[in-house]
Amino acid sequence: MRRIFQYSFFVLAVTTNLNAQQKNEKPNIIVILADDLGFSDLGSFGSEINTPNLDKLANEGLKFTQFYNSGRCCPSRAALLTGLYPHQAGVGDMVQDKGSPAYQGFLSEHSVTIAQLLKTAGYNTIVSGKWHVGLVPSALAHNRGFDKSFTMQNNGSSYFNSEPIYNDGRKVTFLLNGKPVVRQDTSKYLTQAITDFAIKSLDEIKSEPNPFFLYLTYNAPHWPIQALPEDITKYKGKYLKGWEKLRAERFLKQKQLGIIKKEWQLSEKYDQVPDWDKLTSSEKDFWDMRMAIYAAMIDRMDHEIGNILTKLKELKKDKNTIILFVSDNGGSGDTVKDWDYVTQKNGPQGTVNSIDSYYPPWGNVSNTPLKLFKKNTHEGGIATPFIAWYPKMIKAGTVSDHIGHVIDIMPTCLDIAGVEYPKDFSSKNLMPLEGNSLLKIFKNQSAPEHQALFWEHEGSRAIRKGDWKLVAEINQPWELYNLKSDRSETKNIASQQPEKVKELEKEFLQWANKVGVVDWNTIK
């Protein structure tokens, strides 16, 4: 009888201990970053593009409607990875050294990545996709905390091979765990290759007890617009209705979804966009194909995210994984056919033999209802769809207008993992974190707002403080908007509120001095 009692007590103790371990088990974390995806390009944010997997995450999770990036690929990546403003992380612009610490073009030694800090808590760390925060050894993924890495170092690449897309000597560099690799298999679309490495890496650690951090960084839908033929076929002809009608349809859907407030206006059509009805039939076909390719790229990215979700379920990791999705900047107005430093290929649209972008007319649609594009600090350049999914914590179907920024992702990941942000790391003093954890928002609790948020990119600059936003493009006067009533920046009230302009300008200049912003006219 005593032995039965002892055995029962032992089983109870073991079970209790296992339950306690499971209760205290740290969640896996996946951060998915899209490239040049506009504010309205997902179905759950107003699009007609088929994005069932991301829409599922949105419908089962939380959508942020006022979340921001840093307006360009390199700065946003630096801010996301470090929790600092990009200038503080050394990447105020692109990966070329502009001659000052804020624009040195690679991650500062006084910054640390999410992966480096999560490793201190035992996390397995994986990155697959576009890296683009510096080409020097100290800034490469395998030296910045990632155990497994497949990274594209440059801003853009052919989606079918490693051929250079520039004619000025720049090469496309891929690194596999720190060693150069060449992509020659034209049948393997890059979005698929990025996903394949992530899934392979998850398989390799499936038996390990420690949690994982996966940074999944697609380069879709960044130019060159190239897609798989079967994906393009889904959308060919769907954009013959034209950009004016499509913007209006997305705008209406956004109101119905609660993404935007009913009183907000649709920003004026970008002034370089022609009237669709004045185009010839052949011109309409050409433009329809451009947007069909772009939509196909997003469709394929969503499909591959679905493969990640399937793998999580297969590995029984889906119940304890938090997923965050964000874009690095707004839809692009890039016009690569006008750039003499880009290799011009004029083969069939969307194929490996074509290099093109989808141009301002469709970029204007991507950013519905917002103003301007990637590289600008108006809302069209810096607003991003943001999704957080974690059924254990996040109530399904939640929509939040909390004002957040990619600098918040680092502290959020640390909060989830129970890791403190240190004052120093590897004998180097660290810049203090600029971001705030979003964990309370995930739990539907009140959380402090940013006192203010700031942007500067190649002379385009902005500050948002509460509902007020002061913004100007390079060498242009300040514009002032009240985003509570005018998120799409249609009514510039700078002349009516000169004191508010002075107040916000003073605060912006203090920030600019603090982080090392330099007059772009002097460093170009």
Side-chain angles (χ1 to χ4, degrees):
M1 189 73 179
R2 180 182 295 175
R3 287 182 180 175
I4 294 174
F5 175 81
Q6 288 174 336
Y7 178 77
S8 300
F9 181 82
F10 172 77
V11 170
L12 178 63
V14 169
T15 304
T16 303
N17 187 47
L18 284 173
N19 288 339
Q21 287 178 0
Q22 290 170 356
K23 188 175 283 189
N24 295 325
E25 185 183 356
K26 293 178 180 179
N28 307 301
I29 303 170
I30 299 179
V31 174
I32 305 175
L33 182 64
D35 196 354
D36 288 10
L37 181 90
F39 182 68
S40 73
D41 276 335
L42 302 182
S44 50
F45 278 77
S47 177
E48 71 297 329
I49 300 171
N50 188 40
T51 55
N53 295 295
L54 284 167
D55 294 347
K56 178 178 185 291
L57 295 179
N59 294 332
E60 293 179 0
L62 168 63
K63 291 188 288 188
F64 282 74
T65 61
Q66 299 199 66
F67 205 83
Y68 290 102
N69 50 56
S70 294
R72 191 85 177 270
C73 43
C74 297
S76 287
R77 281 167 168 72
L80 186 157
L81 282 167
T82 66
L84 305 174
Y85 282 106
H87 307 77
Q88 295 170 309
V91 194
D93 186 42
M94 303 295 278
V95 295
Q96 295 83 29
D97 188 352
K98 301 293 184 181
S100 75
Y103 303 92
Q104 66 184 19
F106 57 90
L107 290 180
S108 166
E109 64 181 7
H110 300 292
S111 69
V112 66
T113 71
I114 299 170
Q116 286 175 293
L117 293 184
L118 290 187
K119 276 186 67 65
T120 67
Y123 274 72
N124 295 294
T125 54
I126 306 162
V127 58
S128 187
K130 181 171 172 177
W131 183 243
H132 208 207
V133 286
L135 299 173
V136 302
S138 66
L140 302 180
H142 64 287
N143 292 326
R144 280 292 185 157
F146 286 97
D147 303 319
K148 300 176 184 293
S149 58
F150 171 61
T151 54
M152 183 179 78
Q153 303 306 111
N154 309 69
N155 62 322
S157 167
S158 166
Y159 283 80
F160 294 100
N161 56 36
S162 292
E163 291 180 2
I165 58 174
Y166 297 103
N167 58 20
D168 58 3
R170 274 182 277 176
K171 295 180 179 179
V172 179
T173 305
F174 287 87
L175 298 180
L176 178 61
N177 297 321
K179 297 179 180 179
V181 291
V182 177
R183 294 182 62 247
Q184 297 286 14
D185 182 3
T186 57
S187 68
K188 181 60 72 172
Y189 189 64
L190 182 51
T191 304
Q192 294 171 312
I194 290 169
T195 306
D196 289 350
F197 180 81
I199 288 176
K200 176 175 176 288
S201 298
L202 291 175
D203 261 329
E204 289 171 351
I205 62 170
K206 64 184 178 183
S207 300
E208 296 191 20
N210 288 352
F212 65 80
F213 168 59
L214 169 61
Y215 180 42
L216 187 61
T217 62
Y218 292 107
N219 65 320
H222 189 287
W223 67 270
I225 50 170
Q226 297 173 343
L228 296 169
E230 61 266 32
D231 293 337
I232 297 173
T233 299
K234 298 178 189 177
Y235 295 95
K236 185 73 180 79
K238 289 190 175 181
Y239 294 102
L240 289 171
K241 64 180 66 175
W243 32 70
E244 292 101 340
K245 187 172 182 181
L246 191 62
R247 277 187 93 214
E249 289 177 353
R250 288 194 180 191
F251 183 54
L252 177 61
K253 186 177 178 182
Q254 287 176 318
K255 287 184 177 181
Q256 294 169 342
L257 291 170
I259 299 299
I260 62 174
K261 295 181 180 178
K262 298 194 184 307
E263 61 266 30
W264 292 347
Q265 301 299 308
L266 179 64
S267 63
E268 287 188 18
K269 183 176 72 174
Y270 185 57
D271 59 12
Q272 295 179 28
V273 176
D275 292 341
W276 181 264
D277 290 339
K278 294 182 179 179
L279 300 179
T280 65
S281 294
S282 60
E283 287 173 332
K284 289 179 180 178
D285 286 338
F286 178 82
W287 282 104
D288 167 71
M289 185 61 165
R290 269 183 169 166
M291 187 60 186
I293 299 163
Y294 178 83
M297 296 166 77
I298 295 172
D299 184 303
R300 175 55 53 176
M301 178 181 68
D302 181 87
H303 178 83
E304 297 302 319
I305 290 171
N307 288 337
I308 296 288
L309 299 180
T310 298
K311 174 55 66 173
L312 287 178
K313 196 166 188 179
E314 176 191 315
L315 298 176
K316 297 182 170 51
K317 304 281 189 182
D318 55 314
K319 303 297 184 186
N320 197 40
T321 298
I322 185 166
I323 301 175
L324 308 178
F325 175 88
V326 69
S327 178
D328 66 352
N329 46 247
S332 173
D334 288 347
T335 59
V336 302
K337 286 296 183 188
D338 304 327
W339 297 350
D340 57 10
Y341 55 86
V342 170
T343 301
Q344 297 298 329
K345 291 186 174 183
N346 298 304
Q349 285 178 280
T351 70
V352 68
N353 295 313
S354 171
I355 290 183
D356 200 359
S357 54
Y358 74 151
Y359 275 59
W362 292 126
N364 201 196
V365 172
S366 286
N367 296 330
T368 303
L370 308 175
K371 186 176 179 179
L372 294 183
F373 310 97
K374 162 190 176 180
K375 304 177 193 175
N376 304 123
T377 55
H378 284 77
E379 294 291 284
I382 59 176
T384 175
F386 182 78
I387 298 168
W389 180 87
Y390 190 36
K392 276 188 176 182
M393 179 185 297
I394 297 171
K395 183 180 177 182
T398 309
V399 178
S400 174
D401 61 1
H402 178 85
I403 300 165
H405 191 284
V406 290
I407 57 176
D408 298 334
I409 291 177
M410 157 73 100
T412 301
C413 290
L414 298 187
D415 206 358
I416 291 166
V419 175
E420 292 280 337
Y421 184 83
K423 291 183 179 179
D424 52 70
F425 190 84
S426 295
S427 302
K428 299 290 184 182
N429 293 330
L430 296 180
M431 288 271 189
L433 269 179
E434 292 283 357
N436 297 328
S437 173
L438 301 169
L439 206 54
K440 285 188 176 180
I441 305 297
F442 295 172
K443 296 177 179 178
N444 202 25
Q445 300 171 358
S446 60
E449 298 276 1
H450 286 279
Q451 192 272 332
L453 288 170
F454 304 89
W455 295 264
E456 187 278 333
H457 181 68
E458 296 186 354
S460 180
R461 56 211 185 274
I463 170 177
R464 176 168 182 172
K465 187 172 184 180
D467 293 325
W468 291 104
K469 182 179 176 187
L470 191 69
V471 58
E473 295 308 317
I474 186 168
N475 300 324
Q476 297 299 311
W478 287 113
E479 301 168 16
L480 180 68
Y481 300 97
N482 187 317
L483 298 189
K484 183 175 183 179
S485 58
D486 184 25
R487 177 83 191 281
S488 43
E489 299 170 315
T490 62
K491 301 178 183 69
N492 176 13
I493 54 177
S495 62
Q496 301 166 36
Q497 298 272 358
E499 292 306 313
K500 179 60 72 174
V501 171
K502 288 180 182 178
E503 172 196 329
L504 294 174
E505 180 184 39
K506 180 180 178 181
E507 195 163 344
F508 172 84
L509 292 174
Q510 289 172 342
W511 170 82
N513 182 63
K514 168 188 164 185
V515 304
V517 170
V518 177
D519 181 356
W520 190 252
N521 293 299
T522 68
I523 63 173
K524 229 171 153 182

